[in-house]
Amino acid sequence: VEGRKNRAAKIYYWVAKNIRYLGVDKEKNRPGYEPHDVIYTFESRGGVCRDKAALLAAMLREAGFGANVILISSGSRLDPRAPVVWFNHAITAMYDENGNTEFIFDPTDENTKDFLPKYEEDSSYLIASKEGTTLMVAPISNPKLNNATVDINLNLDKDMNATGSMNYKFSGYSDTIFRNIFASFTKQDYEKFFSRLASGLNPNAVMESFDYA
């Protein structure tokens, strides 16, 4: 299983990071709405959600995995008793050896560690397969996987001056949010950000050094 996951992860992260989220307006009949051939998306290195999702599905198939595009109502649930076309996003499903959904990928989030960002959980989705399928809901992960924690260690010297360290750790939803925020940061931006965190504890606090991973 880990071998399958690692192989699929390499393909997923390649598409997420190397195919820019970019609208390509080359259609004559329905500009902005017509799907593009996956070869065009691969060669142009650009496309919107449906293009990136289709390319990922095609590359997974080439690697020997079963895969299809998913239509998802990101951020909401749909009523299965009322047929609608209110899907606002396209992502990708990969199947296990028994034909069951093994992983769900969103290649449009270029910075998330998760295959499916946590903010898309509990959303209705439909797998676009020839066989047809019912409306499903993306499962909700354990809340413990979406924590943001901070460890603060302080020491007082004989003059009652405090020195110490702060260690921030983000996971799941918070990790994705901060990764998107930090993606465009320079080293100076990081320094300002962490300095503000330190001054939030005490306005006289001075940051001596910082590191991030």
Side-chain angles (χ1 to χ4, degrees), residues 33-213:
Y33 290 94
E34 293 183 25
H36 301 119
D37 190 283
V38 293
I39 295 177
Y40 176 81
T41 302
F42 179 83
E43 292 178 346
S44 66
R45 292 293 197 273
V48 293
C49 62
R50 61 181 178 273
D51 302 314
K52 297 187 71 168
L55 176 61
L56 177 57
M59 293 180 69
L60 288 170
R61 291 174 182 174
E62 285 294 316
F65 303 113
N68 273 316
V69 172
I70 283 178
L71 300 178
I72 187 170
S73 179
S74 182
S76 66
R77 282 195 182 193
L78 302 177
D79 189 340
R81 299 168 299 178
V84 295
V85 290
W86 293 343
F87 298 101
N88 55 14
H89 194 34
I91 54 179
T92 308
M94 176 180 136
Y95 306 118
D96 62 19
E97 296 172 340
N98 297 316
N100 300 313
T101 301
E102 186 172 11
F103 302 115
I104 299 178
F105 303 98
D106 185 350
T108 63
D109 195 325
E110 300 171 357
N111 301 305
T112 183
K113 289 195 306 182
D114 299 319
F115 291 166
L116 181 69
K118 296 294 189 287
Y119 56 78
E120 289 182 342
E121 294 181 346
D122 199 31
S123 298
S124 294
Y125 71 90
L126 188 67
I127 298 177
S129 65
K130 291 181 179 180
E131 296 78 13
T133 183
T134 59
L135 189 68
M136 291 172 279
V137 177
I140 302 175
S141 59
N142 191 313
K144 294 181 180 180
L145 300 177
N146 295 284
N147 284 340
T149 60
V150 55
D151 294 324
I152 302 176
N153 297 297
L154 295 177
N155 296 302
L156 292 176
D157 62 19
K158 62 181 181 179
D159 298 318
M160 300 302 289
N161 295 314
T163 59
S165 64
M166 295 189 301
N167 181 25
Y168 283 84
K169 184 178 181 180
F170 307 106
S171 62
Y173 180 79
S174 61
D175 180 81
T176 297
I177 295 301
F178 279 99
R179 280 179 179 272
N180 284 315
I181 294 173
F182 293 155
S184 60
F185 270 27
T186 63
K187 184 176 180 180
Q188 290 74 23
D189 292 327
Y190 280 113
E191 187 170 1
K192 291 179 181 178
F193 179 85
F194 291 116
S195 292
R196 287 197 298 269
L197 291 179
S199 63
L201 294 177
N202 188 305
N204 296 318
V206 176
M207 185 177 67
E208 295 181 350
S209 64
F210 73 95
D211 193 13
Y212 55 91

